[in-house]
Amino acid sequence: MMSVVHRLTAGWLVDHLSFINQCGYEICDDSAYPGDVTLNTSVVSAGNCHATSTFAAASSSRDSPIPGPRDVIETNGKPAKMRYVFREEFFDVSEPHIAAAPEEQLWPGCPEVSPSEVKANSNREEHQEGTKTSIGDSVTSARKKRKRKCVFNQGELDALEYHSKVRKLIWEGTLHLVQEGLKSGFLHCSTAELSCRKNVVPGNPDCGLAELCEMAKQFAAVSEVDHQAIHVLDGETSIPEQDLLSCVTENSSNRAKIVVLMGQKYLVPPRSSFLLSDISCLQPLPNYKKKYDVIVIDPPWENKSVKRSNRYSYLPSWQIKQIPVPALAAPHCLVVTWVTNRQKHLRFVKDELYPHWSVKTLAEWHWVKVTRAGEFVLPLDSLHKKPYEVLVLGRVQGGEKEALRKSEELLPVPEHKLIVSIPCSLHSHKPPLTAVLAEFIKPDVECLELFARNLQPGWTSWGNEVLKFQHIDYFTLLQNKN
């Protein structure tokens, strides 16, 4: 299962959608309902949850209509193999969110840019963004933004300095990978064929997973002696929410399963496991008795826009430090942390968080977001937001003797690489790292993702919204006639 379309010295061009659809979301239906493996049929009121679909039926360019996720399919009285695919419209990023000026686009080359030039470009971008509002207030909005940007605070100055250091690497590496993608046809210069599909992308189903985890704190405490650490999914099991939230749930089979939680259906890929819980209820994870060779962390970083939008909860830095990574990590575990473009958070990871966990920083990689035509989704020199995010890679340090003995076995991690992909329009749906990290770890190792919002085969995932992007309404149901 590979998501890498092209691999160059600079990094990888990754197909996120293809990765999801190779995860094996296939269910053999031998019942009246396609693939219905009920883990839980009880309904608990938590948030605005609806048993009926809030999504419109998926449109398709195929000749025959595709059934919706809840349609029953029969194949001459025989069990049907039901295959689910992720909805393509979530990756239909055909145009930049804000168009860059011609001289700032990838094609002319990469001129050296000083922080002062970046400021000028950012002012132009802010003006352009302002003109997208209604005609009555666009000029006022642009003037206010330009006036505001005349004075840079320390955080913005730090961000400008960092950007000036990494800009050339990102520009040149992305250019080479995009060129390969255009040659192979994975990316398309002309978006005419894409723009004809005017699907309305539905919003996220609000299923109250985080609220349920908050409620779980009020559940009566269960002693570790009396309670199982693992629940293995099968076709006939039904357990209450309390057990789901207090142990790791595991799908050890080679087929996907469907979990029913609060009247909502979620797809669980084969050979995957997960813990749905609040950060204060992490103990089932150490109880799982596994040590992980790779730990990927995507913390909900605290920032002003998150506070304003109230889109998801965030964690202060001191609470992130309390995650028991040393207890979960195998010797020389590779730790990868997603970091926003705030320098405060980047410094925290490198100077406080990793030393606290006895992790040595090895590299900074960048995830670069491009459209289906190969353009940056935002101008590279945008001051407000960047078309890239940072990944900090480090390795857990052991004792000196163990370090000497193991050093020859460890594959070196390059100081800088790019992961270029078309981003998912769903907030915080990060690209898969399985294929790109495979070059630097041994095969068949144990992998863990913390603060996950989706599941992957071969991985254990934890988070208070760990099933969020597994909701069945994010998928389209196909039929295999074999």
Side-chain angles (χ1 to χ4, degrees):
M1 182 172 60
M2 295 295 288
S3 58
V4 174
V5 180
H6 295 290
R7 180 189 182 280
L8 300 176
T9 304
W12 307 268
L13 181 62
V14 170
D15 187 345
H16 190 168
L17 177 63
S18 175
F19 175 86
I20 298 173
N21 290 335
Q22 291 176 38
C23 284
Y25 290 109
E26 186 176 88
I27 297 170
C28 186
D29 174 32
D30 53 7
S31 62
Y33 187 89
D36 190 1
V37 178
T38 302
L39 174 65
N40 183 342
T41 55
S42 62
V43 178
V44 173
S45 175
N48 182 21
C49 254
H50 304 282
T52 56
S53 173
T54 57
F55 282 17
S59 60
S60 173
S61 59
R62 296 175 178 83
D63 295 332
S64 57
I66 294 177
R70 290 171 171 76
D71 291 341
V72 177
I73 296 179
E74 296 180 1
T75 53
N76 299 324
K78 297 179 181 179
K81 289 182 180 178
M82 315 308 300
R83 186 165 67 92
Y84 291 85
V85 295
F86 206 73
R87 297 166 68 99
E88 290 185 25
E89 59 262 43
F90 291 119
F91 288 91
D92 191 14
V93 184
S94 54
E95 296 180 354
H97 306 319
I98 300 174
E103 67 271 17
E104 296 170 24
Q105 294 175 2
L106 277 170
W107 321 125
C110 179
E112 294 293 338
V113 174
S114 65
S116 61
E117 290 173 301
V118 172
K119 293 176 189 177
N121 290 339
S122 298
N123 286 339
R124 181 162 60 250
E125 173 219 332
E126 295 288 354
H127 172 75
Q128 183 180 357
E129 190 176 22
T131 59
K132 289 192 172 188
T133 59
S134 63
I135 295 174
D137 64 1
S138 62
V139 175
T140 304
S141 174
R143 282 174 180 167
K144 283 182 179 178
K145 288 180 179 178
R146 282 186 295 180
K147 184 177 180 180
R148 156 72 180 84
K149 294 304 175 185
C150 287
V151 179
F152 290 83
N153 62 38
Q154 190 57 49
E156 289 169 330
L157 291 172
D158 290 346
L160 283 171
E161 183 180 357
Y162 178 83
H163 178 68
S164 66
K165 291 177 181 177
V166 302
R167 184 186 191 278
K168 186 175 181 180
L169 285 170
I170 290 174
W171 182 292
E172 293 181 348
T174 303
L175 177 60
H176 294 149
L177 286 162
V178 164
Q179 286 174 338
E180 289 299 311
L182 291 169
K183 287 178 188 175
S184 67
F186 174 69
L187 300 174
H188 308 270
C189 263
S190 172
T191 57
E193 62 179 274
L194 306 172
S195 60
C196 65
R197 188 170 71 233
K198 296 293 183 182
N199 288 346
V200 177
V201 178
N204 297 356
D206 180 11
C207 295
L209 294 174
E211 291 84 350
L212 178 63
C213 292
E214 187 67 26
M215 288 171 57
K217 295 179 184 179
Q218 310 304 320
F219 289 163
V222 181
S223 70
E224 293 182 17
V225 176
D226 297 334
H227 191 69
Q228 60 181 351
I230 307 170
H231 177 80
V232 180
L233 291 177
D234 58 41
E236 300 176 355
T237 303
S238 178
I239 61 174
E241 283 91 350
Q242 180 175 348
D243 286 358
L244 177 66
L245 290 152
S246 58
C247 69
V248 174
T249 300
E250 188 177 87
N251 178 12
S252 56
S253 73
N254 290 322
R255 289 199 180 276
K257 305 283 187 183
I258 290 182
V259 165
V260 182
L261 178 62
M262 299 186 298
Q264 302 291 304
K265 295 182 183 292
Y266 300 90
L267 286 160
V268 180
R271 303 177 307 283
S272 66
S273 55
F274 68 90
L275 171 63
L276 173 66
S277 84
D278 185 85
I279 192 170
S280 62
C281 306
L282 264 176
Q283 192 55 40
L285 210 49
N287 290 352
Y288 195 32
K289 303 299 183 185
K290 282 192 177 183
K291 295 288 187 177
Y292 298 94
D293 302 279
V294 176
I295 298 179
V296 174
I297 310 167
D298 185 14
W301 294 107
E302 183 178 9
N303 64 61
K304 291 179 182 178
S305 65
V306 169
K307 289 181 180 179
R308 284 196 300 266
S309 68
N310 198 28
R311 186 161 44 192
Y312 61 87
S313 59
Y314 57 85
L315 286 181
S317 298
W318 67 265
Q319 202 165 7
I320 295 173
K321 287 175 73 172
Q322 293 183 341
I323 299 170
V325 165
L328 297 167
H332 302 285
C333 168
L334 187 63
V335 180
V336 182
T337 304
W338 289 95
V339 186
T340 65
N341 281 308
R342 286 192 67 187
Q343 293 304 295
K344 173 184 175 182
H345 296 149
L346 185 59
R347 285 194 299 268
F348 166 73
V349 170
K350 294 164 66 175
D351 300 340
E352 289 188 52
L353 187 64
Y354 277 12
H356 179 70
W357 288 337
S358 298
V359 172
K360 179 183 178 182
T361 300
L362 300 176
E364 282 180 40
W365 293 1
H366 292 89
W367 170 37
V368 183
K369 308 168 197 178
V370 298
T371 69
R372 296 184 70 177
E375 301 173 274
F376 291 118
V377 296
L378 290 164
L380 181 58
D381 296 327
S382 163
L383 184 65
H384 178 53
K385 287 184 179 180
K386 294 288 190 292
Y388 60 81
E389 294 184 33
V390 184
L391 298 87
V392 181
L393 290 83
R395 201 178 287 283
V396 171
Q397 301 299 292
E400 290 185 15
K401 291 182 179 179
E402 186 183 12
L404 289 172
R405 182 169 55 85
K406 288 280 187 179
S407 60
E408 294 181 0
E409 302 176 17
L410 299 174
L411 296 170
V413 175
E415 189 175 335
H416 186 261
K417 286 282 185 180
L418 298 180
I419 301 167
V420 177
S421 74
I422 301 165
C424 183
S425 60
L426 299 171
H427 177 70
S428 200
H429 201 313
K430 296 294 197 298
L433 300 179
T434 303
V436 301
L437 294 179
E439 299 181 26
F440 312 106
I441 56 178
K442 295 179 180 178
D444 302 320
V445 296
E446 295 288 348
C447 301
L448 170 68
E449 183 174 8
L450 301 174
F451 302 102
R453 291 182 172 188
N454 59 287
L455 308 179
Q456 300 180 61
W459 287 63
T460 300
S461 304
W462 165 80
N464 67 349
E465 292 186 306
V466 73
L467 295 176
K468 182 178 178 70
F469 298 136
Q470 302 302 131
H471 194 286
I472 200 167
D473 282 342
Y474 288 123
F475 294 78
T476 296
L477 176 61
L478 305 178
Q479 178 185 13
N480 291 339
K481 296 182 179 181
N482 294 335

